Amino acid sequence: MTLKPLIDVLAGHRVSPPPVWMMRQAGRYLAEYRKVREEAGSFLNLCLNPKLAAEVTLQPVRRFGFDAAILFADILLIPYALGQTLTFVEGEGPRLTPRIGPENLETLRDSAEIGRLTPIFETIRLVRGQIGPAVALLGFCGAPWTVATYMAGGGGSPDQAAARLFAYRDPRGFARLIDVVVQASVDYVVGQFRAGADAVQIFDTWSGVLSPEQFEQWCIAPTAQIIAQVRNQVPEAKIIGFPRGAGTSLRRYVEQVAINALSLDWTVDRAYARDIQSHIPIQGNLDPHALLAGGPALDRAVDAVLEAFAGGPFIFNLGHGILPETPTSHVEQMLARVRGG
Ligand code: CP3
């Protein structure tokens, strides 16, 4: 056992009460975040300013005593390091220009300008120096499929249409885009471990829109490649996989992707997921809308998650990021329930 409960779970141990953190725990639901965000001017400035990024990384850990700090950055820093221009339009979300498609794929750099990401590694070093010995420091990257949906779409979209059409119309070109993102992600994740991350989560937010064959090709294979290549350089690298919306493809994912824990959304059948937990630690599953609802509904939702998974190796978390309008009192209520307060 180590000093860090979350790392013990990733090593396959059951810890009681389970360690807790929240996806998007540093963010707009916190007044102290909004203040620093305003000071930084733009979201990208905040990500690239190690002092401010370290501060917002630490804010939720200080306020709630979470068992993990997650690096404050964004999955879209990989497209930025590959030469796309990244802006965040207030109220609209991220914009990436130019969009990448079959017609301009050759404009994409072959490899990331890793120098553009050095401020992120510096944020990790700063956080490392300021967190207690029991708190795990998590890095992250987007899975290549999810990152490609933003690169092809020029931002978010309801149906990830641009990337899906690209993959149908020019599978070889699309495979090249995925390969470039794989290589950039390997360098990015290795850099995060070398700077002091204890573990890394790979976010595949849009894996649920693909057919089973495409899921194999664009989600499983590239993510497995990232992990194999990262472990060539960092043999003990601990990695959490989050293929959101993967449903009954989750079993194939855990069979083929060498992760240390599987993060679940809230739509998955719990009996099916418990079966998976007999092979691999589980994280997540609480619906962010249950956290937003609060009251007895939140208590019931927390209890259902604990009942399903707390008997085995488990990290308590949401099934996706916390919603910006969530009251902090609901987070406190959730924590008290999980920790038996
Ligand atoms: O606290 C943490 O979890 C760490 C920081 C983090 C952010 N983004 C900060 C952020 C992490 C892990 C991410 C991951 C991320 N970013 C994902 C994968 C997970 C997910 O949520 O699905 C995706 C798809 C992105 C891309 C992205 N970044 C979008 C679509 C948006 C706009 C939506 C929104 O919530 O505004 C962002 C912006 C963003 N990333 C914010 C934060 C705190 C909000 C920006 C702001 O403060 O104005």
Side-chain angles (χ1 to χ4, degrees):
M1 303 289 256
T2 68
L3 271 172
K4 300 180 195 287
L6 187 140
I7 299 304
D8 290 339
V9 174
L10 295 184
H13 303 288
R14 174 179 178 266
V15 176
S16 180
V20 192
W21 67 281
M22 295 191 308
M23 289 186 237
R24 287 285 179 94
Q25 65 187 21
R28 284 165 297 184
Y29 75 107
L30 291 176
E32 59 268 36
Y33 169 84
R34 295 194 298 270
K35 189 158 167 282
V36 177
R37 167 79 167 75
E38 206 169 306
E39 194 185 318
S42 76
F43 177 74
L44 190 58
N45 280 351
L46 179 50
C47 290
L48 298 177
N49 180 323
K51 233 177 122 226
L52 295 183
E55 169 58 20
V56 295
T57 299
L58 291 162
Q59 284 172 346
V61 181
R62 270 190 224 122
R63 185 194 266 255
F64 300 113
F66 286 126
D67 295 283
I70 181 158
L71 164 69
F72 188 84
D74 200 86
I75 66 166
L76 302 181
L77 293 174
I78 287 291
Y80 166 74
L82 287 169
Q84 277 183 305
T85 300
L86 172 63
T87 51
F88 285 81
V89 185
E90 214 58 56
E92 281 182 44
R95 286 280 170 277
L96 284 167
T97 50
R99 296 171 194 214
I100 302 296
E103 67 294 343
N104 67 349
L105 190 58
E106 71 287 347
T107 63
L108 193 69
R109 297 174 54 100
D110 283 329
S111 59
E113 197 184 322
I114 202 80
R116 282 192 160 195
L117 302 173
T118 46
I120 310 303
F121 306 140
E122 182 57 22
T123 302
I124 295 182
R125 283 187 203 98
L126 290 178
V127 174
R128 180 87 271 161
Q130 292 178 64
I131 52 172
V135 179
L137 174 48
L138 303 179
F140 69 92
C141 69
W145 164 251
T146 287
V147 173
T149 67
Y150 289 92
M151 293 179 80
S157 61
D159 51 10
Q160 295 71 53
R164 292 162 73 184
L165 289 172
F166 187 171
Y168 276 116
R169 288 179 176 151
D170 181 10
R172 288 178 59 133
F174 191 72
R176 156 134 208 276
L177 172 59
I178 291 285
D179 279 345
V180 166
V181 175
V182 165
Q183 294 315 321
S185 303
V186 169
D187 294 345
Y188 187 39
V189 166
V190 167
Q192 293 182 25
F193 277 114
R194 299 226 157 110
D198 293 304
V200 160
Q201 177 156 319
I202 302 180
F203 287 87
D204 213 347
T205 305
W206 299 116
S207 62
V209 301
L210 295 175
S211 73
E213 299 74 34
Q214 293 171 322
F215 182 78
E216 187 100 24
Q217 188 174 12
W218 304 128
C219 295
I220 287 184
T223 308
Q225 262 180 29
I226 291 179
I227 294 176
Q229 291 190 39
V230 167
R231 291 213 180 109
N232 279 339
Q233 300 181 62
V234 185
E236 298 299 311
K238 295 261 190 293
I239 297 173
I240 304 170
F242 178 42
R244 189 170 75 103
T248 50
S249 291
L250 282 173
R251 190 182 307 276
R252 275 189 305 141
Y253 183 90
V254 298
E255 281 166 6
Q256 296 177 53
V257 185
I259 46 174
N260 300 93
L262 176 68
S263 200
L264 300 176
D265 61 43
W266 60 94
T267 65
V268 61
D269 179 89
R270 291 206 178 98
Y272 175 88
R274 271 173 65 144
D275 235 40
I276 292 179
Q277 197 187 22
S278 59
H279 305 285
I280 182 175
I282 292 292
Q283 168 180 280
N285 188 235
L286 185 77
D287 184 351
H289 279 90
L291 185 62
L292 177 57
L298 173 58
D299 286 344
R300 284 195 297 275
V302 169
D303 291 352
V305 170
L306 290 173
E307 193 184 309
F309 301 114
F314 181 56
I315 298 163
F316 196 94
N317 201 325
L318 307 180
H320 198 195
I322 182 171
L323 299 159
E325 59 273 32
T326 307
T328 54
S329 61
H330 294 190
V331 178
E332 282 154 10
Q333 179 188 338
M334 174 193 83
L335 279 168
R337 195 87 180 172
V338 174
R339 292 176 167 163

